[in-house]
Amino acid sequence: EDKVVQSPLSLVVHEGDTVTLNCSYEVTNFRSLLWYKQEKKAPTFLFMLTSSGIEKKSGRLSSILDKKELSSILNITATQTGDSAIYLCAVEADAGNMLTFGGGTRLMVKP
Amino acid sequence: DAGVIQSPRHEVTEMGQEVTLRCKPISGHNSLFWYRQTMMRGLELLIYFNNNVPIDDSGMPEDRFSAKMPNASFSTLKIQPSEPRDSAVYFCASSFGGRGAEQYFGPGTRLTVT
């Protein structure tokens, strides 16, 4: 059974701090890993990673995949209160676009 | 562009009643997914359609749950009879297979079964 585990479960930081969120997976025939941000409503797409060692970056957020370690990290620098959300990691394995989600990391950024 | 559309946004019903959740995927997308999200279990895939055909329904909890996709622009998830443990947020998501696995989520339906 495919498995995706995220850590930490929750995190409280202050504005300006840098955070690193972790995602590890055990899946058959890995195809891609995705990060989503979920605030009050539906998850919104952040990154999709398919190649090991190549960093994806968007503003203060960046993510990298390590296929050897079966893991990915999501970094957020200079955090802002608007970064407060649940961050979900999901892995696509085999064919067919099906995603297995991790349990999420709940990030709270205090002013 | 309209994203994924779900209705209703909130549903409160009594145990034993039938519940029908509706989803309109993004036009042109050929894959549709139903998810359930709870605090205890996180986000779980219930069923996945590709080109209107159910591909994997192994996540459907039990026979009380059924899903249909009669055409490319409409899908339903039905729970009959509903139970309090079905209370959750149900998300519909769609994607275009050729672009990889990026799924776009609808706003969700918050279901409360009393």
Side-chain angles (χ1 to χ4, degrees), chain A residues 33-106:
Chain A
L33 184 145
L34 296 88
W35 284 97
Y36 285 83
K37 177 182 181 182
Q38 185 176 23
E39 296 173 87
K40 291 184 179 177
K41 297 182 180 177
T44 54
F45 174 78
L46 293 176
F47 299 111
M48 182 168 76
L49 304 156
T50 55
S51 300
S52 201
I54 297 177
E55 185 183 51
K56 291 275 182 95
K57 200 169 169 63
S58 176
R60 296 176 295 101
L61 276 67
S62 64
S63 183
I64 196 162
L65 175 67
D66 186 338
K67 281 187 176 178
K68 190 175 173 185
E69 296 295 326
L70 307 182
S71 65
S72 173
I73 58 170
L74 175 67
N75 277 321
I76 309 174
T77 58
T79 52
Q80 301 171 356
T81 54
D83 296 327
S84 297
I86 296 172
Y87 290 84
L88 295 163
C89 171
V91 172
E92 184 197 15
D94 283 324
N97 296 349
M98 291 171 58
L99 297 179
T100 300
F101 280 83
T105 292
R106 183 180 294 272

Side-chain angles (χ1 to χ4, degrees), chain B residues 7-21:
Chain B
S7 64
R9 297 293 306 277
H10 301 272
E11 176 82 33
V12 180
T13 192
E14 291 184 348
M15 184 173 70
Q17 296 298 305
E18 177 180 297
V19 174
T20 300
L21 312 181

